[in-house]
Amino acid sequence: LEIADEKQFAELAFRQRLPTAARLTLSGVIFQAWEDGDPTAAGLVRRALDDYVVTATTMMALTRHPAPDAVFGGGVLRRAPDRFWRELSALIRRAFPGAAVKPPDLPPEYGAALMAAHADGRDPREFFKAVQEQYRPGWPTPAEPSPPSCQGA
């Protein structure tokens, strides 16, 4: 599919006719434009940062822990540059100075297994520990590398 201009792209995106491959690479384009100084991309990234911070700090406050981990994963964030992670970490640490901001310790399919075990009545902490001990990075191989941990950044 060839896209002639930004108007056609917007129309395809709005009508949800944008091919999956194009949708999956869009965040990388936005992050690159942000790093290149594009003001529109900067606005999109700023709003995303604000949304992540509000969501995370609200959930973190509910834990009543002084420094809970803020764990972020998913395809969009896998494409996020280090600068994004540093800014996200700094914003979250305003509310929780000792918090670690990082990607999940395990790939998503392991998280699904953890939730299934919990639903089956198993102790999620014990199950997580057992899975984590058996997990070998690279198996199964994630489609893309996870971002670096920003603990102590």
Side-chain angles (χ1 to χ4, degrees):
L1 176 73
E2 288 192 33
I3 300 173
D5 57 27
E6 64 274 5
K7 289 181 183 179
Q8 183 185 12
F9 178 85
E11 180 67 22
L12 289 169
F14 177 75
R15 302 273 180 222
Q16 298 181 346
R17 294 187 182 134
L18 198 59
T20 301
R23 283 195 318 272
L24 293 176
T25 59
L26 187 56
S27 62
V29 172
I30 292 169
F31 283 130
Q32 185 60 56
W34 173 56
E35 291 201 297
D36 291 344
D38 181 87
T40 302
L44 291 170
V45 171
R46 174 56 47 202
R47 284 193 294 273
L49 283 164
D50 291 344
D51 288 347
Y52 285 127
V53 169
V54 167
T55 302
T57 57
T58 299
M59 291 181 350
M60 293 165 77
L62 293 172
T63 70
R64 292 189 166 85
H65 189 284
D69 289 350
V71 180
F72 295 89
V76 169
L77 293 177
R78 285 185 181 158
R79 290 178 175 79
D82 288 343
R83 176 181 166 199
F84 180 89
W85 286 95
R86 286 191 305 272
E87 289 192 30
L88 180 61
S89 297
L91 292 167
I92 288 175
R93 288 197 185 112
R94 286 183 187 166
F96 293 91
V101 178
K102 61 182 199 160
D105 290 335
L106 298 170
E109 53 273 15
Y110 289 85
L114 179 65
M115 291 188 330
H118 177 65
D120 190 46
R122 298 178 192 206
D123 181 345
R125 291 171 297 223
E126 292 301 316
F127 188 80
F128 179 80
K129 194 174 358 175
V131 169
Q132 197 172 32
E133 288 171 2
Q134 296 297 314
Y135 173 67
R136 300 290 179 258
W139 185 86
T141 305
E144 297 176 51
S146 293
S149 171
C150 291
Q151 188 169 1

